[in-house]
Amino acid sequence: MRVDRLVLKNFRNYEDETLDFTDGVNIIYGKNGMGKTNALEAIYYFSQGRGFRGGSREAVRNGCDSAVIRLFFNSGGRVQEGAVYFDGRQKKITINDIELKKTSQLVGRFGCVLFTPDEMNLVKGAPEVRRRFLDSAIIPLKPAYLPLLLRYNLILKQKISLLRAEKYSMLPIFNQQLAEAGSRIILTRRGYVERIRSFAAEAQTDISSGAERLYMSYSSGVRGEGGLEGIREAFLKKLAELEESEKENKICFVGPHRDDLIFRINGKSARSFASQGQQRSVVVCMKCAQMELLREETGEYPVLLLDDIMSELDRGRREFLIERIKGKQVIITCTEPDGSGAENLIRIENGRVAEKTVASPEKHGE
Ligand SMILES: Nc1ncnc2c1ncn2[C@@H]1O[C@H](COP(=O)(O)OP(=O)(O)O)[C@@H](O)[C@H]1O
Ligand SMILES: [Mg+2]
């Protein structure tokens, strides 16, 4: 997977600008608030159909009615062009000029892995951070997953309204629907954890020079075995058990919206025991694992988007990450480029490309 060109029209703080990328390491640098993260967010739209901070309305440049992001990329040896059109609250996505009817049709088109400073909190942060990690990792792999999540969240919202209004006669129907959609989410997340586990463990062994064994598991209030049917039954049973308490508290106590991802290092809970450094290692390893799994699934390495994270990592972890991303296309944002190993440097100032430097081949030698 390779991003060749990004064209932004009235997207966030960009008026009309083109960013060109090369193979290998691309660095977007500039002072804070200049639009570096905005550029990464624009690229990210093509993997998830949505940004990672705010909705379609925030995407449009203040004072404008519409915005367009165009991405020229190379996937499976084919040059492709994607576009996202923002028009007020509406959003339209096209790939090679063909409009997608559903966002989930993006699955398998463009692969990227994003790594942001917010995720440094993955191990010790709230469970929501880990659920978000899982969901955004699964969405680009399974077309059915995003609609499933949206459906589950809708049913959940409606059930909470019912509980608040004390309309209990409708509760069994909602519980059925919740268990139906929820068990699929649980099964999918379990499956993903099972697949990413060995990649993450391998990376953690490597980053710790063999000292740390990482084990991750999916933790759910629903403990059904025996596939989808078993999970669904366990879910319904749990809902029945909790019914009185849910009515009393107006809260949905069980389901994928309460689940968590557990990390253990050498058998101990990483959330309770891991040092700052170990936590950071886990995050780096999870990102590397996500990248490997995407490659296994799609046959191609995704593009890596590293948003200002190098400064968050100490030298050892930075070097580990650089080693792992060698040979892949990476787009890094930072305030001060150290320049080392970058093929392409772009300085951004107030939503404009202020300076471009493409490394000449002779500088690299052979
Ligand atoms: N819809 C918008 N219209 C205009 N400016 C925006 C919009 N959304 C964000 N911005 C501006 O973009 C800038 C932040 O860009 P960002 O990419 O986060 O900067 P950084 O270079 O620090 O990563 C801020 O100045 C913010 O005001
Ligand atoms: Mg930023």
Side-chain angles (χ1 to χ4, degrees), residues 43 93 99 220 231 236 252 303 319 336 346 348:
I43 297 172
I93 305 173
E99 184 177 349
S220 176
I231 300 172
L236 282 169
C252 300
V303 175
E319 279 172 2
E336 294 288 337
I346 304 169
I348 297 287

Side-chain angles (χ1 to χ4, degrees), residues 32 36-37 53 307-308 333:
N32 283 326
K36 304 182 295 293
T37 304
R53 36 178 207 177
D307 190 19
D308 233 335
T333 70

Side-chain angles (χ1 to χ4, degrees), residues 10-14 28-41 53 57-63 307-308 333-335 348 350:
N10 296 329
F11 177 77
R12 296 221 181 244
N13 68 334
Y14 288 84
I28 300 176
Y29 68 104
K31 296 201 186 91
N32 283 326
M34 290 294 138
K36 304 182 295 293
T37 304
N38 290 345
L40 294 191
E41 188 188 30
R53 36 178 207 177
R57 229 168 326 160
E58 288 85 0
V60 178
R61 188 170 143 91
N62 295 340
D307 190 19
D308 233 335
T333 70
C334 56
T335 42
I348 297 287
N350 290 319

Side-chain angles (χ1 to χ4, degrees), residues 9 12 54 61 76 82 117 127 160-162 175 180 212 219 230 240 279 285 289 305 313 335 354 359 363:
K9 292 221 161 77
R12 296 221 181 244
R61 188 170 143 91
I160 292 168
S161 305
L162 284 186
N175 280 348
E180 184 65 43
E212 292 166 11
S219 157
Q279 291 171 51
C285 291
L305 308 176
L313 300 173
T335 42
K363 216 166 104 188

Side-chain angles (χ1 to χ4, degrees), residues 290-309:
Q290 197 185 343
M291 178 173 88
E292 293 299 333
L293 207 147
L294 257 168
R295 193 199 67 92
E296 196 177 83
E297 194 84 4
T298 65
E300 249 180 310
Y301 272 109
V303 175
L304 260 103
L305 308 176
L306 306 182
D307 190 19
D308 233 335
I309 53 119

Side-chain angles (χ1 to χ4, degrees), residues 135-181:
D135 291 339
S136 59
I138 299 169
I139 286 168
L141 294 174
K142 298 206 179 293
Y145 192 67
L146 180 60
L148 186 63
L149 276 181
L150 297 174
R151 184 173 145 70
Y152 180 84
N153 290 333
L154 184 67
I155 304 165
L156 191 66
K157 228 170 107 183
Q158 290 170 334
K159 182 179 161 183
I160 292 168
S161 305
L162 284 186
L163 289 171
R164 292 201 177 133
E166 306 196 346
K167 284 188 189 156
Y168 300 135
S169 63
M170 299 280 283
L171 212 51
I173 297 170
F174 278 85
N175 280 348
Q176 280 289 344
Q177 292 183 349
L178 214 53
E180 184 65 43

